[in-house]
Amino acid sequence: MRASCTASIALAIVISITGCAPDLRGDMARAGVFSPRSLEAGNDALVTLGQALFFDPELSGNRNTACASCHLPSLHAGDGRHLSIGQTGARLPRQVVEPFNRSFATSFFWDARLELVDGEIVGPVAFPDGIETLLEAQALLPLLDRAEMRGDPGDVADDGRANELAALDDARPDDIWAAVLARLLAIEGYRELFVTAYPRVALDALSIVHVARAIAAFESRLWELSDTPFDRFLGSVSQEPETEALDETQRKGAELFFGDAGCARCHSGPLLTDGLTHAIGVPQIGPGRDGAGHDEGRFAITGDPTDRFAFRTPSLRNVGVTAPYMHDGAFARLDDAVRHHLDPRASLLAYDPTLLPDDLRDQVHSELNDEIAAQIDPEVVPYRPLSDEEIWQIVWFLEALTSDTERGVGPEAGVPTSVPSGLPVTSSLEPEPFTRF
Ligand code: HEC
Ligand code: HEC
């Protein structure tokens, strides 16, 4: 018997396996895969505060957009859109990233503009002292973003209130965060929630860090999930590996994923991402980062020409329920997203805009195709051609990365009945039409 069918790397428990490919567990271990544990998200009072903040449009300049406007628990932490929609109602340049298992992520956003470098948090702004995790740091960024939440100078909300957040200088994030906090502390319901969540912190000692920490606690409570067939297969310190947790087709798919299909060159580690950026020839869709259709991905952060059109390898956890796919929602079907990797250049050139909602069909920037194609990382293509049956085996394996909790999530999951500002709570969105496997 081959050593590879021994189970958990951490435990080195040897179990007898039937139907397990010779080297599947060894291949997984080499790809750095393990089951991420569910972390303690903080006490209930902190999570309750975080839930209110996450759902409250009071945090946006025009009091019209909450985190939950784009990250709905019932839509698996996303919005079901090809490209997200900002606070003016216009499309944003990118697809939502669904924040699952973020405490194991080393970089955030499609261009990895927020990342851990030698244990330090590096991002587009200087974060206040006390920010300890990438998830906390991230929660402060939408508050600054004019298109997502803050609005534009001169804006007046529908209810006639001026937008004091939008009037502030972009270059002074601390002022903007202080103004958001001032808004919150003007509301009695928030003062009460903060006092309960942070009993040892005086009201006048609160800072935006306490807001970020509560939001991150709420996100962690909801979305640090490891109840998937794949995790049961892997096992953990508290759970013996169960080979039968993956059916035979899924095990074949996994063998390909970690073997001949070469997926694990980039989709590695506990979240099946290397956290790095690669150019894989995805067609350019939507307004772009410059409003003129250009989104050059990592290049905008590093200025390194080899980073043009490179985007961060996405985590594949819960990928079965988080359609559409890619940084701009180019593909609505999981098998199409996988097939794109087989011959990215051909897929780019043959891209069919009728897969998109009406308003995006004439926003496919095929004039950039040659430039995008020239950047494609040759490592993206499988080590050998895959048959259609093998592609479906891989897709079926990817379905095993979906958490039972997420599969069963109901329309009211995680939604508060009201928020302290009294503003309306978004509890559902109509997902855009797409076909799913
Ligand atoms: C208008 C829609 C919108 C709003 C509002 C919004 N987000 Fe997002 N969120 C997005 C999009 C789009 C991305 C991906 C952007 C990118 O990668 O450039 C994203 C990315 C993220 C990520 C990064 C996940 C990762 O690992 O890359 C987290 C976490 C997150 N949002 C949490 C929040 C929180 C917390 C709030 C409220 C403070 C919020 N979002 C408000 C649309 C939105
Ligand atoms: C060279 C690195 C690399 C390899 C190898 C690779 N991928 Fe990817 N994959 C990426 C990147 C980068 C993206 C996102 C590209 C974008 O949005 O522009 C991606 C996107 C995806 C997506 C879409 C997920 C989402 O949430 O949008 C799926 C599914 C996927 N890959 C599966 C696979 C499979 C299956 C294989 C093996 C056949 C594979 N990948 C091989 C880098 C890679």
Side-chain angles (χ1 to χ4, degrees):
M1 179 176 154
R2 304 265 296 267
S4 53
C5 277
T6 60
S8 153
I9 332 131
L11 288 178
I13 292 174
V14 181
I15 54 169
S16 69
I17 307 282
T18 49
C20 178
D23 209 17
L24 178 54
R25 290 192 185 277
D27 285 345
M28 287 181 177
R30 278 186 285 281
V33 175
F34 61 88
S35 179
R37 62 199 185 284
S38 303
L39 290 190
E40 178 46 53
N43 61 49
D44 288 350
L46 192 62
V47 172
T48 304
L49 170 62
Q51 181 189 38
L53 294 165
F54 196 86
F55 276 87
D56 202 335
E58 185 75 14
L59 279 74
S60 65
N62 294 319
R63 295 182 167 87
N64 58 0
T65 309
C67 307
S69 305
C70 305
H71 299 277
L72 265 174
S74 58
L75 291 178
H76 312 291
D79 59 3
R81 300 184 195 283
H82 289 257
L83 290 175
S84 207
I85 292 186
Q87 61 91 26
T88 63
R91 293 277 187 182
L92 295 177
R94 294 190 183 150
Q95 229 243 323
V96 160
V97 180
E98 295 81 5
F100 288 110
N101 303 85
R102 290 299 82 192
S103 50
F104 287 84
T106 51
S107 64
F108 277 45
F109 295 116
W110 282 109
D111 48 18
R113 65 186 179 277
L114 175 63
E115 56 181 333
L116 277 184
V117 180
D118 299 330
E120 296 290 317
I121 295 174
V122 175
V125 298
F127 293 103
D129 288 347
I131 288 292
E132 285 171 359
T133 66
L134 288 175
L135 193 56
E136 290 171 5
Q138 191 286 330
L140 296 180
L141 297 176
L143 307 177
L144 306 177
D145 190 306
R146 292 187 180 279
E148 280 190 14
M149 290 184 85
R150 189 153 69 99
D152 296 304
D155 278 0
V156 176
D158 286 349
D159 64 8
R161 283 188 278 181
N163 182 343
E164 83 288 11
L165 305 180
L168 295 167
D169 186 347
D170 289 348
R172 299 180 64 101
D174 291 321
D175 292 356
I176 301 163
W177 292 325
V180 172
L181 183 69
R183 265 194 190 190
L184 297 172
L185 292 179
I187 297 170
E188 194 190 342
Y190 273 115
R191 291 196 298 272
E192 287 167 9
L193 287 177
F194 276 106
V195 166
T196 318
Y198 297 106
R200 284 187 291 278
V201 184
L203 277 181
D204 61 5
L206 287 169
S207 78
I208 200 72
V209 173
H210 298 94
V211 172
R213 188 158 302 155
I215 292 176
F218 174 69
E219 293 173 297
S220 301
R221 175 70 61 92
L222 238 52
W223 296 317
E224 288 287 335
L225 299 167
S226 54
D227 55 340
T228 75
F230 182 56
D231 290 292
R232 288 192 282 281
F233 176 87
L234 290 172
S236 68
V237 268
S238 54
Q239 196 178 21
E240 291 221 344
E242 288 170 42
T243 295
E244 302 305 320
L246 298 184
D247 68 25
E248 205 185 322
T249 312
Q250 288 168 333
R251 286 201 295 265
K252 283 187 180 146
E255 283 157 32
L256 289 162
F257 187 97
F258 293 99
D260 284 356
C263 311
R265 282 171 293 178
C266 303
H267 294 282
S268 56
L271 309 188
L272 302 169
T273 168
D274 54 8
L276 304 175
T277 56
H278 305 270
I280 70 159
V282 172
Q284 187 85 60
I285 298 160
R289 296 281 280 178
D290 62 353
H294 290 81
D295 184 350
E296 296 179 87
R298 185 69 180 163
F299 173 67
I301 312 300
T302 61
D304 178 345
T306 62
D307 286 337
R308 284 191 81 206
F309 305 110
F311 292 88
R312 184 193 56 170
T313 312
S315 161
L316 297 180
R317 287 193 165 266
N318 298 304
V319 76
V321 292
T322 56
Y325 303 107
M326 305 298 186
H327 70 273
D328 54 8
F331 299 109
R333 290 170 50 132
L334 187 51
D335 61 312
D336 283 347
V338 173
R339 279 176 218 280
H340 173 81
H341 294 70
L342 308 180
D343 186 348
R345 188 188 159 81
S347 166
L348 169 70
L349 299 182
Y351 185 73
D352 175 8
T354 63
L355 298 172
L356 294 169
D358 292 349
D359 69 312
L360 290 176
R361 284 184 191 172
D362 57 2
Q363 293 194 56
V364 180
H365 297 280
S366 49
E367 72 279 7
L368 293 172
N369 281 359
D370 287 344
E371 288 173 65
I372 296 173
Q375 293 293 125
I376 294 173
D377 180 347
E379 290 265 289
V380 69
V381 177
Y383 293 123
R384 64 160 174 82
L386 302 176
S387 70
D388 201 54
E389 190 188 1
E390 288 175 319
I391 291 162
W392 284 108
Q393 288 167 345
I394 294 175
V395 170
W396 190 232
F397 162 64
L398 296 179
E399 289 285 332
L401 300 170
T402 302
S403 134
D404 299 344
T405 307
E406 282 303 314
R407 265 204 208 287
V409 85
E412 298 308 319
V415 183
T417 46
S418 64
V419 285
S421 66
L423 291 166
V425 170
T426 307
S427 59
S428 65
L429 280 177
E430 199 53 50
E432 287 177 335
F434 51 72
T435 329
R436 264 225 317 262
F437 160 59

